[in-house]
Amino acid sequence: MEFGVWTKGLATLGVDCLVLGVFEEAQLGAEGASVDRACGGRLTRLLERGDFTGRPGETLLVTDVSGLAAAHVLLTGLGARKQWQRKSWRKAWLAAAGALARTRITSCAVALDRPAARELDDYYLGRAVAELAGSALYRINDLKTGRKPPPPALKKVLAGPVRRAAAAERGLIHGAAVDGAMTVQRDLANLPGNLCTPTFLAEQARALARRHGGLRVRVLDEAAIRREKMGCLLAVAQGSHQPPRFIVLEYQGRRKEQAPIVLVGKGVTFDSGGISLKDPPGMDEMKFDMSGAAAVIAALTLAAQLRLPLHVVGLVAAVENMPGGKAVKPGDIATSASGQTVEILNTDAEGRLILSDALHYARRFRPAAVIDIATLTGACVVALGHHHSGLMGSDEPLLQELLQAGRRADDRCWQLPLTEEYAEQLKSNFADFANVGGRDGGAITAATFLGKFTQGLKWAHLDIAGTAYQSGAAKGSTGRPTPLLADFLLHRAGR
Ligand code: BES
Ligand code: MN
Ligand code: ZN
């Protein structure tokens, strides 16, 4: 896709289609009004007849418009003018891009109103134009054998209106990179567990590194993982025929040695629960239990593609959690790489086990910050639903940074408390602690468990169990929290 900025003269702009906003009660926006004059009031007449009201999500394609260089106008609803927010703009453009994707239109200019421009500055306008165009055009990587629908024809999108074209252009470049990273994450996460195994994830990380200069990859196989004494990770892996992998990605965007940002991903390529087997309904969705790993791999490709002046390390613990004859059992005790012992009371609380060894491994990089990303708990979904990822950790400034990155990127997270009282629930009679703390505050006790392995580190934990994928008719990976992570990295890089 080619992106650019238009600065003036919508009526004479050489594109197939102008995308114009309409406020509720059929009010044309400022850009729409100027186009309307150029085409002799065609849009006003259409709106007066009540053919289009401007509700959010509503679109209408108008063809053969005279007086314009563009043959088409696409109207998209912005909702009530008084209630305009960045969200209204995003919804309108997403709906419009979706509508365009179903036509043969190859180029368009976006010209939606921003009554409160402070809410969406020129840079983020560019980001949103490119990122949402990508989302609208994304086709799921399914394995259907029938004839594929033709790919969308849209090849060129011009963003506007803007005051500072350079800022918008930078936003477009970054937005396209965010979309590329989201596609990496979604394609990996959408694959079934029989194809996307730990070995496959490692191969994909290698392949992506070959494609993006500046990315280095090391993969630890089972023997190497054993040498690292990752007893908790191995305990989870031992019930499966699929061998585990520990993937280390490194991007050095700076000549000078710099303490890295370490991203740690949960890569459970299928979570059956193990001996503590899950209920059948919805178990297929546990193929998405490697979404954190996919997000980490995606974030590293973004850093490399944009050549960010940062040092970023990605660690991925990849395993399959299965109830085989050699599987770890409730009551078994594992020794983590940190030397601490864990009584595994529930084999379905496997994410925290593999992450504990990965977080310990992060120490050797003397990181400036460690962020783990995991579909960790159903309890987080109960607490926050599907709109916010859960956020906890040990370093308040880092947590604030992530909260703000999420707000700016429209990929929000919400902080839950992580005070010492919760550690009580992890007490064990037989080991240093148990891997579960009962139902109450389940997202927090899981983070408390991770905290046992991050002492002294600037650490944050993102629980993406409710945000990384969707169920139901639109089942599939959402690509979250890649926009949040991208914004965090871009900000640290001083974008
Ligand atoms: N992968 C699941 C968490 C999960 C649940 C992700 C629902 C997405 C949707 C995790 O490994 C798990 O099974 N957690 C258990 C922990 C419990 C045994 C303490 C859970 O949430 O039920
Ligand atoms: Mn589980
Ligand atoms: Zn899991």
Side-chain angles (χ1 to χ4, degrees):
M1 180 82 80
E2 183 190 335
F3 292 106
V5 168
W6 63 267
T7 41
K8 55 174 181 261
L10 269 183
T12 54
L13 209 58
V15 289
D16 287 351
C17 182
L18 304 178
V19 180
L20 302 174
V22 177
F23 291 105
E24 223 152 79
E25 277 145 31
Q27 299 286 313
L28 270 178
E31 301 303 333
S34 81
V35 172
D36 187 45
R37 282 191 292 277
C39 63
R42 166 104 190 259
L43 302 176
T44 314
R45 287 197 295 281
L46 184 152
L47 292 172
E48 273 167 2
R49 255 203 311 258
D51 291 340
F52 191 81
T53 61
R55 273 192 309 274
E58 191 185 1
T59 63
L60 180 70
L61 185 65
V62 190
T63 50
D64 293 328
V65 188
S66 58
L68 304 178
H72 311 268
V73 165
L74 180 67
L75 300 179
T76 184
L78 283 166
R81 186 194 284 272
K82 282 213 199 78
Q83 277 147 39
W84 187 92
Q85 316 168 45
R86 193 166 69 224
K87 223 192 296 177
S88 329
W89 187 99
R90 288 177 66 93
K91 189 161 188 178
W93 169 230
L94 186 66
L100 290 170
R102 291 185 288 274
T103 70
R104 304 313 301 155
I105 288 170
T106 61
S107 62
C108 74
V110 185
L112 305 180
D113 293 70
R114 283 181 285 166
R118 248 184 339 130
E119 272 234 8
L120 181 65
D121 66 20
D122 290 345
Y123 168 78
Y124 277 100
L125 173 91
R127 275 267 293 267
V129 164
E131 185 191 314
L132 295 173
S135 289
L137 267 54
Y138 177 76
R139 293 282 167 88
I140 210 155
N141 51 335
D142 63 48
L143 285 94
K144 295 182 184 183
T145 56
R147 257 211 8 237
K148 295 244 185 267
L154 192 64
K155 289 284 166 333
K156 182 173 165 185
V157 177
L158 301 181
V162 296
R163 282 162 163 243
R164 298 180 308 135
E169 272 158 11
R170 203 155 37 85
L172 287 165
I173 292 170
H174 293 176
V178 174
D179 168 56
M182 287 174 83
T183 300
V184 166
Q185 182 190 348
R186 295 175 81 174
D187 283 350
L188 286 172
N190 283 332
L191 283 175
N194 60 322
L195 299 181
C196 184
T197 60
T199 313
F200 177 88
L201 261 188
E203 281 164 7
Q204 288 302 300
R206 279 217 174 88
L208 285 163
R210 274 196 296 276
R211 228 179 297 151
H212 295 267
L215 258 188
R216 274 189 313 221
V217 181
R218 245 185 87 211
V219 176
L220 310 196
D221 64 9
E222 193 166 349
I225 292 170
R226 208 167 289 283
R227 283 197 293 279
E228 292 292 339
K229 301 194 163 54
M230 295 186 173
C232 286
L233 190 159
L234 288 166
V236 177
Q238 76 194 39
S240 168
H241 289 282
Q242 292 293 339
R245 290 290 182 264
F246 191 84
I247 309 164
V248 184
L249 296 130
E250 188 161 11
Y251 167 73
Q252 263 285 16
R254 277 219 158 158
R255 289 234 184 79
K256 223 179 88 217
E257 198 53 43
Q258 185 192 36
I261 296 162
V262 179
L263 304 177
V264 180
K266 170 177 173 181
V268 177
T269 57
F270 186 74
D271 181 13
S272 71
I275 297 298
S276 314
L277 195 63
K278 287 185 181 294
D279 275 346
M283 207 209 270
D284 65 289
E285 294 182 355
M286 284 301 119
K287 73 174 185 177
F288 296 119
D289 212 18
M290 36 57 73
S291 296
V296 168
I297 295 170
L300 269 285
T301 66
L302 174 124
Q305 189 185 326
L306 294 178
R307 298 180 189 285
L308 299 183
L310 295 174
H311 184 190
V312 191
V313 171
L315 302 177
V316 167
V319 300
E320 188 182 62
N321 187 23
M322 293 290 277
K326 290 184 182 163
V328 71
K329 307 173 293 298
D332 285 2
I333 293 177
T335 302
S336 81
S338 74
Q340 300 177 99
T341 56
V342 179
E343 186 182 15
I344 299 175
L345 289 177
N346 189 323
T347 68
D348 198 10
E350 84 297 338
R352 61 197 79 182
L353 292 172
I354 67 171
L355 287 174
S356 67
D357 283 339
L359 287 166
H360 181 74
Y361 191 91
R363 281 182 191 282
R364 71 189 58 197
F365 297 96
R366 304 192 177 285
V370 179
I371 305 165
D372 77 76
I373 301 112
T375 45
L376 202 63
T377 65
C380 190
V381 190
V382 173
L384 297 177
H386 302 284
H387 304 294
H388 291 82
S389 303
L391 176 70
M392 286 151 275
S394 61
D395 187 63
E396 201 52 40
L398 176 62
L399 297 175
Q400 289 304 323
E401 225 179 315
L402 288 163
L403 283 166
Q404 280 164 19
R407 264 189 231 122
R408 287 190 303 261
D410 288 304
D411 180 10
R412 281 182 301 175
C413 53
W414 197 265
Q415 188 177 355
L416 299 174
L418 191 62
T419 48
E420 57 284 352
E421 301 89 310
Y422 294 93
E424 203 62 33
Q425 286 170 247
L426 294 175
K427 285 210 163 126
S428 158
N429 284 353
F430 305 103
D432 292 337
F433 30 83
N435 75 327
V436 290
R439 275 171 39 112
D440 302 344
I444 300 171
T445 52
T448 302
F449 181 92
L450 299 179
K452 304 274 190 194
F453 302 87
T454 57
Q455 296 292 319
L457 296 176
K458 288 184 175 161
W459 162 68
H461 158 62
L462 278 168
D463 193 331
I464 57 168
T467 52
Y469 65 92
Q470 280 182 293
S471 308
K475 192 189 287 186
S477 170
T478 59
R480 293 179 66 185
T482 286
L484 182 164
L485 293 174
D487 202 279
F488 171 79
L489 292 177
L490 283 162
H491 231 70
R492 281 246 168 162
R495 59 137 184 110

